[in-house]
Amino acid sequence: MKTAIIYYSKSGRTKKVIDKFNLDKFRIPEEIPNENYDLYLFFCPTYGDEELPLPMEDFLINLKLKNKKYCVCELGNYYGYDDYEFGAYKLIKFMLNKLNW
């Protein structure tokens, strides 16, 4: 299965995590992956309550690929929340589901 990592990293912490993988990597917004992959792994920090970094949000809004498989790894802390669905996963899932991912 051909796998690509799509990530955004402002401070460099997310990049440190993805550098441990020996996979094709695409940093948003500089690099855009093509459709030649079977699985896309999204690595994204979470800002506040249900906020994506703007470059990742723009990428997802303009994404044209359809019918792909994906997995989301969000990086961040949720101190004080009983429900962990306040972050990047919920938003990325919503946007990709519109494309039949």
Side-chain angles (χ1 to χ4, degrees):
M1 181 177 282
K2 194 166 180 189
T3 304
I5 292 177
I6 300 171
Y7 75 99
Y8 175 75
S9 184
K10 182 176 181 179
S11 67
R13 291 184 189 118
T14 302
K15 177 141 179 23
K16 267 188 187 175
V17 172
I18 64 113
D19 280 344
K20 297 181 184 307
F21 295 92
N22 187 19
L23 297 169
D24 294 343
K25 301 169 183 81
F26 299 91
R27 185 180 189 280
I28 300 304
E30 288 88 18
E31 301 172 88
I32 306 299
N34 59 38
E35 60 186 53
N36 296 331
Y37 296 92
D38 303 305
L39 176 66
Y40 294 84
L41 306 177
F42 287 85
F43 283 75
C44 184
T46 298
Y47 298 148
D49 289 346
E50 298 186 12
E51 295 176 42
L52 289 176
L54 195 52
M56 181 63 82
E57 187 174 339
D58 289 343
F59 169 78
L60 291 167
I61 288 169
N62 294 304
L63 187 62
K64 304 293 184 224
L65 297 176
K66 294 185 186 269
N67 302 316
K68 296 293 181 178
K69 294 180 182 177
Y70 72 96
C71 182
V72 176
C73 178
E74 58 181 294
L75 296 98
N77 293 321
Y78 293 104
Y79 297 116
Y81 292 112
D82 293 332
D83 183 353
Y84 293 104
E85 285 203 30
F86 282 95
Y89 169 71
K90 182 179 179 180
L91 296 169
I92 291 172
K93 178 182 172 186
F94 174 78
M95 295 172 125
L96 292 179
N97 281 347
K98 291 197 285 187
L99 297 169
N100 264 353
W101 284 45

